[in-house]
Amino acid sequence: MAGVTLKDIKKVYPFTSEDKKAKKRKKKKGEIEASEKKVNLQITEEGVVAVQQFSLDIADKEFIVLVGPSGCGKSTTLRMIAGLEEITSGELYIDGKLVNDVAPKDRDIAMVFQSYALYPHMTVYNNMAFSLKMKHVPKAEIDKKVREAAEILDITEYLHRKPKALSGGQRQRVAIGRAIVRNPKVFLMDEPLSNLDAKLRNQMRAEIIKLREKINTTFIYVTHDQTEAMTLGDRIVIMRDGFIQQIGTPQEVFNHPANLFVAGFIGTPQMNFFRDAELKKNGDTYSVEILGKEFVLPEDKQEKLRANGVEPGKVIAGVRPVHLSIADDGIAAKVDVSEMMGSELHLHMDVNGSDVVAVVPTADLGDSMISSHQDIGFTMKPNLIHLFDPETEKSLL
Amino acid sequence: MKKALKAPDTGALGNRGKKGLRYHIQKYGAYYVMLIPLFIFLIIFCYLPMGGTVMAFQDFRPVRGFFKSDWVGLENYADVFSDKMFWSRLKNTVIISVLKILFTAPAPIILALLLNEVRNRKFKRTVQTVVYMPRFISWVVVVSIIQSLLDVQGGPINTLLMNLGIIDEPILFMGSKKLFRTLLVATEVWKTVGWSSIIYLSALTNINPTYYEAAELDGAGRFQKMWYITLPLIKPTFMILLILSMGSILSAGFDQIYAMSNSAVLEVGDIIDTYVYRRGLAEMNFSYAAAVGLFKSVVSVVLVCGANWLARRTENESLF
Ligand SMILES: Nc1ncnc2c1ncn2[C@@H]1O[C@H](COP(=O)(O)OP(=O)(O)OP(=O)(O)O)[C@@H](O)[C@H]1O
Ligand SMILES: [Mg+2]
């Protein structure tokens, strides 16, 4: 059992003396601070708020992925779990024990750093053996564990090289190897694949999935890449500006994004948003008008809207590009760019001055290709429409 | 065959070279201009005087000058190497140098490591400034301070030791053969440690902090981090400084010793430079001095290259 529980965790980085000096300079110049606050929600009186109201229950052996744009507080959260960063307020439990004030080495966790942080003066073997050596594990046992881990990661032949003489992918494996020899309760990874090229990244992603089956333990994985998040995570935590936006399985966050941000962040190409859609209510039936076309919503959505007591009016409608289809009698659009991707066609369309992207399987088109600057029509299935409140940006469904 | 193949090639290269050169000068010209003063300095003070080494092979008479003095071949060297005093001074020099390196090499590392652990910035800066200071004080001044501190008649050190009951009668520090080398090394460390630690401090700040974070997660404590991470990572800096210090092994610090020594300690404290200075200038034996000087230079070059070679062979770390 090694679950991790975070209770209302908050992290505030106090202003450094440089920050303070910059502030003073600005004050002298007469710049108003209020406008500064608007620009960055995370800067408050006390300092830079990197993470707040972070509560999450991670089950034993669960694979959790923290995902979000740059600067949203993913690394900070991970480093607080590791103990490298002090927790400003809130409680952190590992395996049921409060560890806020426990030193990193006593938390029984291992971490893979984005830059790998392999000790440059030690061989691969010594890099992997270091933590065991610090624990005074007998030499024979260290040797056994290091070789086992090297076997799993397929790096046995590099054991006597120094990190400098390894490729990015090999270094990555060593970094993982250094973590697994310790057999930690929790495995932390901060953007471990971001330094690799696209091909190697795909390959390593598959290896991490395999690795997980082999060393069944709790994983907390940070990435800004949503494909990684979707493919690796049992559950995904989507963050923005230090706040959790949504927690859910990959299907949940894809099919039922909690708000506009999540909807836009998960899925490529990005979801299309129709900002001047209108929700109408005809007796008991809701329908939504998008670009002049009216779509009657399916029964499950009707029920949810009714249960939430949603009033008709302006809404933001969202539809994923893959959920748009070509229809001659649909909404009229002009193709700006038609990108042939092989099995599918990406159409960047201009609809009354706003951009809409559609992804159409080429198999459906037969021989009739759609080329740039062509006039076409498109439509969508009402059950795949997402609706968001234009004020709160929260999902209405 | 080779020539025929090469000929058109060189032409093409020459053309490209010309273009490249013009471009190069345009781009970096300003830097070359800035280098000129340094070059002039080097030529005037380092390269031109080298011509003087011809004295080592002449029976040099100032009135006759370089061109009219008699050539004597290696006679001056025969003089030097048959001089018993020279060998005893050479021994002194090497002993003092090795002692100095033994203590001045690790001292700045320790100081830098200690300073690196200081969290309070103001305190750190103050300490740094205070320990750099001695470097800018001339040896003559340092020695007179030391002399009054260690004075036999009412010097503070002697008074203190007497009052503490550690000694019964004042020690003649400056005239003690036993203590002279210790004093040399101690004052040298005091004077240079702060300055030398600058290089290590900058080497320390260049260490990627994630190594320490990784080590912390790996379970390393403060001293283990120092031993397993910090020291190995500043070893290249240490090796370079050590290799460079080989170059001055036959020098041992003329200023300091000239100012500090006296007839009582000549036997343990006289080094090649002070000896040659006395023989060369006092007895006007310029050729002898030049011969020793050249000998020192050759030995230094050999030592630096040797140390460099050894470092490369054993530690894979070298200066060139
Ligand atoms: N040491 C620090 N001092 C002050 N502010 C910091 C510090 N470290 C991070 N921050 C701030 O905290 C916020 C979150 O940073 P964090 O490194 O957690 O982002 P991230 O989500 O990991 O981003 P990325 O994807 O770019 O790595 C940022 O606004 C950042 O500027
Ligand atoms: Mg980060």
Side-chain angles (χ1 to χ4, degrees):
Chain A
M1 264 300 290
V4 179
T5 304
L6 298 100
K7 255 197 204 150
D8 197 19
I9 295 281
K10 181 174 184 181
K11 174 71 194 180
V12 182
Y13 288 108
F15 289 121
T16 60
S17 51
E18 282 86 14
D19 286 336
K20 281 180 193 154
K21 269 183 216 156
K23 232 184 182 179
K24 260 188 204 162
R25 235 177 289 138
K26 273 188 187 162
K27 252 189 191 164
K28 260 190 192 163
K29 278 188 190 165
E31 281 171 42
I32 318 151
E33 267 182 57
S35 66
E36 198 176 292
K37 265 183 203 157
K38 260 185 203 162
V39 177
N40 195 336
L41 283 169
Q42 289 165 282
I43 295 175
T44 66
E45 300 284 290
E46 12 171 24
V48 183
V49 182
V51 176
Q52 52 192 323
Q53 296 171 16
F54 195 108
S55 295
L56 176 65
D57 244 318
I58 302 170
D60 185 31
K61 307 211 185 342
E62 192 175 359
F63 199 120
I64 283 280
V65 179
L66 305 184
V67 68
S70 188
C72 71
K74 309 177 294 282
S75 299
T76 306
T77 308
L78 202 69
R79 290 167 58 81
M80 281 192 286
I81 298 172
L84 296 172
E85 213 72 70
E86 214 174 303
I87 298 171
T88 310
S89 74
E91 287 158 13
L92 171 69
Y93 298 88
I94 295 178
D95 215 1
K97 262 193 311 214
L98 184 70
V99 292
N100 280 37
D101 297 321
V102 174
K105 61 176 174 144
D106 300 323
R107 292 190 185 191
D108 207 356
I109 37 160
M111 181 157 169
V112 176
F113 292 83
Q114 180 174 354
S115 56
Y116 314 143
L118 297 176
Y119 310 124
H121 54 287
M122 297 185 198
T123 59
V124 168
Y125 184 97
N126 286 334
N127 261 287
M128 289 168 68
F130 188 69
S131 65
L132 299 175
K133 199 168 152 193
M134 291 299 106
K135 277 194 211 150
H136 305 291
V137 175
K139 273 222 167 95
E141 200 177 321
I142 292 181
D143 193 66
K144 193 176 140 245
K145 283 192 171 170
V146 169
R147 283 179 198 287
E148 259 173 30
E151 201 66 45
I152 291 178
L153 294 162
D154 203 16
I155 46 174
T156 310
E157 54 187 307
Y158 311 120
L159 279 178
H160 293 287
R161 290 211 201 153
K162 290 216 175 133
K164 230 199 300 187
L166 299 179
S167 72
Q170 290 160 350
R171 280 179 210 178
Q172 179 59 66
R173 282 163 214 258
V174 177
I176 294 174
R178 187 168 67 174
I180 62 179
V181 290
R182 296 172 43 190
N183 210 354
K185 277 188 196 153
V186 185
F187 212 105
L188 308 177
M189 298 174 128
D190 191 355
E191 309 210 14
L193 307 186
S194 63
N195 283 344
L196 305 178
D197 64 48
K199 199 173 160 194
L200 202 53
R201 200 177 310 161
N202 288 341
Q203 193 186 328
M204 283 305 292
R205 207 169 59 206
E207 299 221 1
I208 288 176
I209 295 173
K210 272 193 256 164
L211 177 76
R212 195 209 161 176
E213 284 159 11
K214 279 183 202 150
I215 57 155
N216 210 359
T217 180
T218 310
F219 277 78
I220 305 177
Y221 186 104
V222 162
T223 178
H224 61 255
D225 181 81
Q226 49 111 0
T227 324
E228 250 169 61
M230 298 289 277
T231 48
L232 290 172
D234 290 335
R235 280 194 298 159
I236 301 177
V237 178
I238 297 146
M239 296 179 68
R240 177 203 197 182
D241 291 345
F243 287 100
I244 294 182
Q245 300 292 304
Q246 187 172 6
I247 305 174
T249 63
Q251 292 92 317
E252 273 166 11
V253 296
F254 187 79
N255 293 335
H256 305 289
N259 58 34
L260 203 63
F261 173 77
V262 175
F265 191 78
I266 300 289
T268 44
Q270 215 194 16
M271 186 185 276
N272 295 300
F273 294 115
F274 303 96
R275 282 178 191 272
D276 40 13
E278 189 157 348
L279 188 66
K280 292 182 172 169
K281 199 173 181 186
N282 214 335
D284 239 5
T285 342
Y286 285 99
S287 63
V288 61
E289 190 187 305
I290 299 170
L291 299 167
K293 288 261 183 230
E294 196 163 324
F295 299 89
V296 178
L297 295 167
E299 194 46 42
D300 60 322
K301 299 207 182 209
Q302 297 280 356
E303 257 166 46
K304 270 186 202 154
L305 288 171
R306 250 177 261 140
N308 293 346
V310 179
E311 294 295 319
K314 280 252 178 280
V315 290
I316 299 173
V319 184
R320 297 200 184 277
V322 283
H323 295 150
L324 294 180
S325 50
I326 306 296
D328 293 336
D329 58 347
I331 300 161
K334 187 179 163 69
V335 178
D336 277 335
V337 181
S338 162
E339 290 176 312
M340 173 64 191
M341 312 294 277
S343 61
E344 54 196 29
L345 200 60
H346 287 194
L347 300 173
H348 298 259
M349 305 181 289
D350 176 25
V351 186
N352 290 336
S354 52
D355 292 326
V356 176
V357 180
V359 172
V360 221
T362 35
D364 294 358
L365 293 171
D367 283 336
S368 62
M369 281 299 297
I370 298 170
S371 51
S372 302
H373 312 303
Q374 194 175 327
D375 287 315
I376 57 166
F378 70 91
T379 187
M380 58 196 91
K381 290 205 187 104
N383 61 334
L384 296 172
I385 295 174
H386 303 267
L387 296 176
F388 303 96
D389 186 317
E391 291 288 311
T392 63
E393 300 196 341
K394 288 215 171 81
S395 174
L396 292 170
L397 296 166
Chain B
M1 211 29 215
K2 253 186 186 170
K3 251 185 189 170
L5 273 174
K6 252 186 174 174
D9 239 29
T10 353
L13 265 176
N15 268 342
R16 229 182 297 152
K18 249 182 201 168
K19 228 184 199 171
L21 189 67
R22 196 179 302 154
Y23 172 75
H24 193 84
I25 288 175
Q26 244 170 29
K27 193 166 177 197
Y28 301 111
Y31 297 111
Y32 285 107
V33 172
M34 284 188 238
L35 268 179
I36 290 173
L38 180 69
F39 266 112
I40 293 174
F41 177 88
L42 280 176
I43 288 168
I44 293 178
F45 292 103
C46 295
Y47 283 88
L48 289 182
M50 269 188 203
T53 41
V54 294
M55 278 193 288
F57 306 96
Q58 288 178 332
D59 179 15
F60 180 75
R61 299 280 158 82
V63 279
R64 292 203 197 164
F66 292 126
F67 300 103
K68 296 207 175 118
S69 295
D70 299 325
W71 292 93
V72 293
L74 295 175
E75 204 173 280
N76 288 318
Y77 287 91
D79 250 13
V80 171
F81 295 134
S82 62
D83 182 0
K84 262 194 205 137
M85 283 293 272
F86 171 78
W87 292 108
S88 99
R89 276 21 177 180
L90 179 65
K91 192 178 125 202
N92 270 345
T93 311
V94 172
I95 290 173
I96 291 171
S97 284
V98 170
L99 281 175
K100 277 185 174 176
I101 291 172
L102 226 50
F103 287 91
T104 53
I109 299 181
I110 295 166
L111 178 66
L113 287 176
L114 291 176
L115 279 175
N116 203 39
E117 296 288 321
V118 173
R119 290 278 161 268
N120 186 326
R121 273 193 179 181
K122 265 189 194 147
F123 178 69
K124 188 173 168 179
R125 287 216 188 124
T126 315
V127 172
Q128 273 176 302
T129 317
V130 170
V131 293
Y132 296 163
M133 220 79 101
R135 181 186 144 104
F136 301 101
I137 307 173
S138 134
W139 269 117
V140 179
V141 177
V142 172
V143 169
S144 49
I145 295 172
I146 301 276
Q147 267 166 350
S148 35
L149 280 177
L150 297 178
D151 199 4
V152 194
Q153 286 171 344
I157 304 277
N158 267 322
T159 315
L160 183 74
L161 290 177
M162 296 264 282
N163 286 346
L164 285 175
I166 296 171
I167 51 171
D168 294 330
E169 51 188 74
I171 299 172
L172 183 66
F173 283 104
M174 301 302 284
S176 158
K177 276 185 203 163
K178 259 196 252 159
L179 290 175
F180 188 70
R181 285 174 184 164
T182 313
L183 277 178
L184 284 181
V185 174
T187 48
E188 174 87 6
V189 169
W190 176 78
K191 198 169 182 299
T192 60
V193 67
W195 186 256
S196 315
S197 71
I198 296 178
I199 295 174
Y200 287 109
L201 276 171
S202 79
L204 286 176
T205 49
N206 274 335
I207 297 178
N208 186 341
T210 52
Y211 295 147
Y212 293 110
E213 292 183 341
E216 200 161 324
L217 287 173
D218 276 345
R222 225 175 202 212
F223 284 97
Q224 285 165 321
K225 277 191 254 178
M226 218 179 246
W227 185 256
Y228 290 109
I229 312 290
T230 312
L231 288 179
L233 288 178
I234 57 175
K235 199 175 81 181
T237 311
F238 177 75
M239 295 302 280
I240 285 174
L241 292 181
L242 198 64
I243 292 168
L244 284 176
S245 70
M246 290 297 139
S248 55
I249 220 165
L250 290 191
S251 295
F254 173 84
D255 299 11
Q256 177 196 20
I257 290 173
Y258 187 73
M260 252 170 103
S261 68
N262 49 58
S263 52
V265 294
L266 218 51
E267 201 180 303
V268 292
D270 200 19
I271 55 167
I272 298 178
D273 282 356
T274 45
Y275 174 63
V276 165
Y277 173 77
R278 268 185 279 114
R279 275 210 64 176
L281 282 188
E283 297 171 24
M284 302 278 270
N285 197 341
F286 298 115
S287 289
Y288 184 90
V292 174
L294 190 59
F295 167 76
K296 268 179 60 190
S297 303
V298 171
V299 172
S300 297
V301 170
V302 169
L303 281 175
V304 170
C305 293
N308 191 59
W309 175 83
L310 197 70
R312 197 169 45 213
R313 276 290 299 272
T314 57
E315 303 286 342
N316 225 338
E317 232 119 28
S318 64
L319 185 54
F320 46 85

